[in-house]
Amino acid sequence: MTSFQSTLEDEVGIAEELAENQQAISIAEFFEKNKHMLGFDSGARGLVTAVKEAVDNALDAAEEAGIAPDIYVEIEEAGDYYRLIVEDNGPGLTKESLPKVFGKLLYGSRFHAREQSRGQQGIGISAAVLYAQLTSGKPAKITSRTQGASEAQYFELIVDTDANEPEISVEETSSWDRPHGTRIELEMEANMRARGQLHDYIKHTAVVNPHARLELREPKNHFKFERATDQLPAETEEIRPHPHGVELGTVMKMLTATDSQTISGFLQEEFTRVGKKTAESIIDEFRDRYYGREMRWRPPTARDDVDIGAAVSAATANKGADATAAFAEAIADAVADHDRIAHHELVAAVDVAAEDVEADHGTTFGDTVRENAVEAVWLNVIDAADDAETDADATVEHTAESRLVADLQALADDATSTRKDDEVIYAFAERLAATFEDEHEAENVRHRLTRTRLREFVDRAAALTEEYDDVTFGETARENVTDAVWDVMATVPDDPPLVRELDNDRDATSNLVDGMRAADIMAPPTRCLAPITEELITAGLQKEFDADFYASATRDAEVHSGDPFIVEAGIAYGGEIAAEGSADVMRFANRVPLVYQRGACATTDVVKSIGWRNYGLDQPGGSGVPNGPAVIMVHVASTNVPFTSESKDAVANVPEIEDEIELAIREAARELKSYLNKRRSMQQRRKKQNVLGKILPEMAEKVAEVTGREEPDIDDAVARIMNNVLVERSVKENGDGQAVSVTVENNSNTTESLEITDILTAEPTNLSEDATVVEMDGEWFVKWDINVSSDDEAALEYVVANDATFDLDIKGVESEKLTVSA
Amino acid sequence: MSADNDQQAREQLIDLAAQFYDQFELGEIPHMSVPTRTKNNIEYDEETGVWVYGDRESTRSANSVRGARKLLKAVYTIEFLADQLEEDRSSTLRELYYLSESWDNNEAQFSDQDESNGLIEDLEIVSGVTREDFHMRPEESGATIMGPLHLREQTRRGEREIHCQKDVGEGGYQIPNNPDTIEFLNSEADFVLAVETGGMRDRLVENGFDEEYNALIVHLKGQPARATRRIIKRLHDELDLPVTVFADGDPWSYRIYGSVAYGSIKSAHLSEYLATPAAQYIGIQPADIVEYDLPTDPLSDSDINALESELEDPRFQTDYWEEQIELQLEIGKKSEQQSLAARGLDFVTETYLPERLSEMGVI
């Protein structure tokens, strides 16, 4: 990337200010003024922010080097201060870059890159260092060991707050047990009041980074979060900016810096998703704004009593009768071929005619001749031929036959509501035509207008119509007429200015930016993003929450102001999650947990706006965060996550992002709903089974009593009532052995797949074909996998010695749905 | 009531239990089907001239928890009834309800009396035995007869011969729960006059209407009990007496008439045994309200609903009733029997009833 990219970030308000003013104010002063924006407004929060910045940095460092992160965080009391130690197993830092990374604000590998990463501005960790230095006066103690290095480097580092330059006060080699990595030790004024947020941060980090191992040691606590996967997040690639997402100032700087000569080259070179065709469509949009379009009029027809040929002939002198006639005819034909014709189209037609006639007749039709011909024909096309011959200052009298009026009337009539009567439209068209006449007189012979100017014409004509004809000609009608006329107007073929001509031309550049936004351009590529993926979200949730159910959803990439983004959501439900109170909402941006400013975050807003009752969760009042044993997580990954402030605590309410958050949550919630429904139906089934399991035997007993018979066998009836799968064993003596039959009867409405294992104490013979037998330690495992469709039966049969015993194990059917009598 | 009869009833009940037994043994879901007891499932039986159940059936099946409880209760009740028949005892419907509390199984206990009453009806229908034959009686019948009728009643304490005018006090002869224990000996009555309210019945007796017109005044006490309906039917069938019904002029009273004449929806299985299709309605008719300019109350919403549902009731789909009900809906008013007192205490016996009865050709 070229260096101007350093200003591409939308988030750099402070950074720019900082960079520009570093001469004027000291960095310490700046920090003091802005520490709340950076997340260091109190001792409690400062500690959390410092941990957060250091851990984010550590994770990024390890991941970039393709190493599964192993991060150790320690917080210990050190007299009046707290000591924070963060160690990672990243690639380590070189002696040159190390002080800058930790000691200079705005230094970082991520800052220039348009790809998803945790840190972006290079403020975070250096701000933590500065905060520590300002509150405790102690230097940052940094140990780093690069891969393969035999020894680690130890530095003590302070920031020269006047110059924003790091100063290394101590430098020595030391030994360290990690083969590579970085360790930073900061002493700062802090307290542990924000312990909750700190734990949330570490735990949430563990959830979204299932590939990382985290350890947190506090004065009184010790947490370990082990890896759930070895799979590192997909590597991201940088992308160039997308034309829809850049702003005027950025484009101006890019224009100054580019090597390209032409706008087309500039667009293709500096932006993503811009090829030759897209560049051309952007340039067309630019032309419409920069040059305006030319009005295309309907050429005169035979009925109009206008002889184009004669006009050409009259304007052409000294070219010989034949050639002149051929020239005139060729032009007349070309014009007649056009449904509508603009000035530049006429010029092109005349050029073609001139060259054709030159070739046929050997007569040269020079520029002057061509210009004369164009003028003669054009005046006829715009119905101004008479004016040119007579007094140009005379008031133009438009007769009812004026073709411009008729032309505009037809356009206006189609564009306005049918309620406007013809007279009004005619009067309006007349006035609009008059404005074009005025343009003609004002030397804009070509009728070249920008849309804004056209709208002014329409407004003027409409205002006059309202005034004189006492009708309303409202905003919608004006806009429609403007659109209709603009649509028939033609983009001019003028060459766009060169890049150097645009340089420092604010208005022209603004036209270009507008053109870029208006053009239809493919969404930016998503290889710059690394979503966690559904699978790993579930793994992360499973790792940290002992729940009954997990669901996750990863949406396809979308774009907000030129930056691609992906939203993911996950839900964990039940199990050990506290059932009291409202569900936990975990918010993440680029894999970083957001622990502060919950209420200001778009994520929270969306969670609150969803009707959770539809998904089976309790939601008092039908809105707000739902109640119950649930954890809802949302991850927004983007090359540029729009935060509400520099401290990056809350995602801003960008409609495109909110929509995707909602869709992602709903996707996961739908799974939750079907799980809860199923659970509910199983509960009901269990309840029914419990009640019926009591009533039916009692009924059978009573019936037997009343009728004076033996108690009847009710298993089949029960299985049928419960829509159950009934597994029954029947045994028949068969000479020296017993014939065993295990029957599966499916009374449910769906096909059931069962895995049946019958464990025998003797070897079976005459086994059914679809069953297999394995002997282990004197026991025979008869395995039988079977699909039984609704209302169907299947049987497993074998013969076994008389003294054999059986033990049946059935899988594949919920126990609520299973009746076994074996 | 013979021991044979009891034995047969008992066997029929046990057959029902055996049916459940067999269903269990066959691996079927135990169930029993009974005709649906709603007005949409009653139809006119041309032969007997009464309304009986149609073909629609409801199934009580152990498929659901509710159904299983119902069947469990049915089996417990069957046992109870069979025992009762064996011991030749009887009990009331209310006693059955309370008695279920003593059963060893909570699930078999009734939650309200409607449930136990409904179950007895189910058993009656399925077994084809009337509840009188199960020795189940309503808690009170209470209905009375006053008039020139001489009868013999088989009581538990021996036979009694009673004259329903001379041997009884002001209250009249009390109809027993099972009127089939009565034998009619002699009657000088010309017609039966069934009266809805006690006040009107007393007025008629006080004014000596039964003596003057040889009327058998049967007090219906609101919606008549089975015994009352049964005895009316027997008086009509055996003594060939015309039957007339005198009730209030409101939709609920028309239903009282309906159950005397056509049989009630709840006991349509017994219509043949209880209904008197020839019974005639005296009034108060909506037409009387107009004609005699009786004091009225406005129809309430529930009255209007009841009238409208009667228009759809197959039992009331006759020209006479459609005309009367539509008239009532039109005037929007109802009157009680006793509103006739507005014309004097004797108006009903001296003017209204003689006029109506001669119009109807009864006297």
Side-chain angles (χ1 to χ4, degrees), chain B residues 41-108:
Chain B
N41 191 39
I42 55 171
E43 42 192 52
Y44 187 71
D45 183 28
E46 299 277 353
E47 216 169 290
T48 54
V50 295
W51 291 86
V52 296
Y53 289 126
D55 297 332
R56 262 195 273 170
E57 293 198 325
S58 322
T59 302
R60 317 270 187 259
S61 162
N63 213 345
S64 65
V65 170
R66 247 182 71 189
R69 282 208 184 99
K70 248 186 187 139
L71 291 187
L72 181 70
K73 289 169 191 182
V75 178
Y76 268 81
T77 308
I78 286 171
E79 187 191 32
F80 163 74
L81 292 174
D83 291 352
Q84 168 170 296
L85 285 169
E86 195 154 76
E87 293 162 20
D88 192 20
R89 307 208 37 186
S90 66
S91 51
T92 68
L93 289 171
R94 193 152 189 81
E95 279 170 336
L96 169 63
Y97 164 58
Y98 284 125
L99 200 123
S100 73
E101 298 268 325
S102 73
W103 290 343
D104 56 3
N105 193 325
N106 287 340
E107 297 283 359

Side-chain angles (χ1 to χ4, degrees), chain A residues 129-428:
Chain A
V129 169
L130 192 56
Y131 177 75
Q133 180 182 321
L134 291 173
T135 55
S136 73
K138 300 264 178 70
K141 296 171 185 166
I142 299 160
T143 310
S144 183
R145 182 164 176 186
T146 51
Q147 206 145 10
S150 54
E151 285 179 316
Q153 298 288 324
Y154 173 83
F155 303 93
E156 285 189 11
L157 179 146
I158 52 167
V159 179
D160 176 346
T161 51
D162 292 328
N164 182 21
E165 282 298 330
E167 268 174 27
I168 290 173
S169 52
V170 178
E171 179 185 351
E172 57 200 35
T173 55
S174 75
S175 63
W176 193 29
D177 52 357
R178 288 200 191 236
H180 52 85
T182 307
R183 175 186 201 274
I184 178 163
E185 190 180 321
L186 300 172
E187 261 182 62
M188 59 178 78
E189 208 171 70
N191 61 62
M192 290 293 285
R193 253 171 302 195
R195 196 178 283 112
Q197 277 90 348
L198 181 66
H199 295 173
D200 278 353
Y201 168 76
I202 296 282
K203 181 166 181 168
H204 294 184
T205 302
V207 170
V208 283
N209 296 288
H211 61 285
R213 185 187 171 279
L214 296 173
E215 197 174 338
L216 169 65
R217 187 186 287 277
E218 284 176 8
K220 289 183 186 109
N221 271 317
H222 189 190
F223 304 93
K224 277 184 189 172
F225 302 89
E226 296 301 334
R227 272 187 199 108
T229 175
D230 288 331
Q231 187 188 331
L232 286 176
E235 269 188 49
T236 55
E237 279 175 40
E238 288 186 33
I239 59 161
R240 289 168 291 171
H242 190 272
H244 284 174
V246 285
E247 275 149 12
L248 178 59
T250 315
V251 175
M252 288 176 78
K253 283 185 180 142
M254 289 168 81
L255 284 166
T256 311
T258 187
D259 297 331
S260 301
Q261 298 292 314
T262 62
I263 294 187
S264 178
F266 166 72
L267 290 169
Q268 293 180 53
E269 200 61 37
E270 305 292 346
F271 293 92
T272 184
R273 293 295 197 221
V274 181
K276 204 168 158 45
K277 265 184 93 172
T278 310
E280 203 47 50
S281 74
I282 292 174
I283 290 169
D284 274 349
E285 296 283 349
F286 168 73
R287 284 192 183 106
D288 285 349
R289 286 164 178 75
Y290 187 71
Y291 297 111
R293 287 185 181 177
E294 282 180 4
M295 183 60 193
R296 303 163 86 204
W297 297 104
R298 286 191 188 282
T301 60
R303 279 176 293 132
D304 283 321
D305 190 26
V306 173
D307 191 340
I308 300 279
V312 175
S313 302
T316 313
N318 304 327
K319 293 297 171 194
D322 283 356
T324 307
F327 183 50
E329 195 190 335
I331 292 173
D333 285 352
V335 169
D337 278 349
H338 281 81
D339 183 36
R340 288 179 170 281
I341 191 158
H343 189 271
H344 71 262
E345 287 168 340
L346 177 61
V347 172
V350 168
D351 286 345
V352 170
E355 270 144 39
D356 284 354
V357 176
E358 274 174 9
D360 288 352
H361 295 266
T363 320
T364 314
F365 285 79
D367 285 351
T368 320
V369 177
R370 295 184 190 189
E371 277 165 23
N372 287 344
V374 167
E375 191 187 348
V377 175
W378 184 247
L379 289 177
N380 274 299
V381 168
I382 62 171
D383 222 9
D386 297 337
D387 309 344
E389 287 164 21
T390 58
D391 184 4
D393 293 331
T395 314
V396 181
E397 285 294 330
H398 280 282
T399 59
E401 294 87 52
S402 165
R403 287 186 317 96
L404 297 199
V405 176
D407 203 341
L408 291 170
Q409 186 188 1
L411 289 172
D413 201 31
D414 285 348
T416 52
S417 72
T418 47
R419 275 177 320 195
K420 293 213 170 30
D421 65 44
D422 293 348
E423 305 252 325
V424 173
I425 296 295
Y426 179 76
F428 168 76

Side-chain angles (χ1 to χ4, degrees), chain B residues 30 85 110 138 145-146 155 188 190 225 281 297-298 303 323 351 358:
Chain B
L85 285 169
F110 295 111
I145 296 180
M146 177 67 109
T155 71
E188 285 142 30
D190 290 335
Y281 187 67
D297 288 317
D303 290 334
E323 192 184 310
T351 312
S358 62

Side-chain angles (χ1 to χ4, degrees), chain A residues 622-821:
Chain A
S623 71
V625 177
N627 282 352
V631 172
I632 301 161
M633 72 145 275
V634 177
H635 177 221
V636 179
S638 174
T639 49
N640 178 15
V641 177
F643 289 107
T644 54
S645 75
E646 283 306 313
S647 60
K648 303 199 280 185
D649 290 314
V651 178
N653 295 68
V654 176
E656 291 92 335
I657 295 187
E658 285 184 317
D659 287 351
E660 282 295 309
I661 292 175
E662 177 168 345
L663 290 169
I665 297 177
R666 285 192 188 275
E667 211 171 284
R670 272 194 294 277
E671 283 179 49
L672 173 67
K673 180 186 185 172
S674 75
Y675 164 78
L676 289 176
N677 282 349
K678 188 164 179 197
R679 200 174 74 152
R680 213 158 286 155
S681 106
M682 280 300 157
Q683 266 170 354
Q684 275 163 359
R685 181 186 279 272
R686 211 174 306 136
K687 205 173 140 201
K688 180 176 170 183
Q689 216 156 18
N690 288 344
V691 177
L692 287 181
K694 193 166 156 255
I695 291 177
L696 291 175
E698 285 166 353
M699 180 174 163
E701 191 188 334
K702 209 61 175 177
V703 169
E705 212 177 301
V706 172
T707 55
R709 300 196 224 170
E710 291 273 298
E711 254 185 69
D713 173 14
I714 63 169
D715 283 347
D716 288 20
V718 169
R720 214 158 269 168
I721 289 167
M722 297 311 303
N723 295 332
N724 264 2
V725 178
L726 175 69
V727 181
E728 252 180 331
R729 183 194 302 276
S730 72
V731 178
K732 264 193 220 125
E733 293 285 327
N734 178 16
D736 51 343
Q738 43 187 347
V740 178
S741 168
V742 177
T743 317
V744 176
E745 185 187 308
N746 183 4
N747 294 300
S748 74
N749 343 325
T750 52
T751 299
E752 299 287 353
S753 305
L754 291 89
E755 287 171 44
I756 294 180
T757 310
D758 203 4
I759 305 163
L760 314 179
T761 52
E763 185 170 6
T765 54
N766 298 10
L767 196 67
S768 303
E769 274 180 20
D770 45 2
T772 56
V773 65
V774 179
E775 195 250 318
M776 255 194 293
D777 304 330
E779 286 183 320
W780 281 264
F781 291 74
V782 178
K783 287 209 115 195
W784 187 44
D785 292 349
I786 185 81
N787 291 321
V788 189
S789 48
S790 177
D791 284 330
D792 211 356
E793 273 193 13
L796 163 71
E797 283 167 345
Y798 57 84
V799 177
V800 73
N802 268 326
D803 55 352
T805 61
F806 324 102
D807 187 6
L808 202 57
D809 179 48
I810 296 159
K811 284 190 185 121
V813 178
E814 292 94 338
S815 60
E816 287 87 349
K817 280 179 81 175
L818 190 65
T819 305
V820 180
S821 80

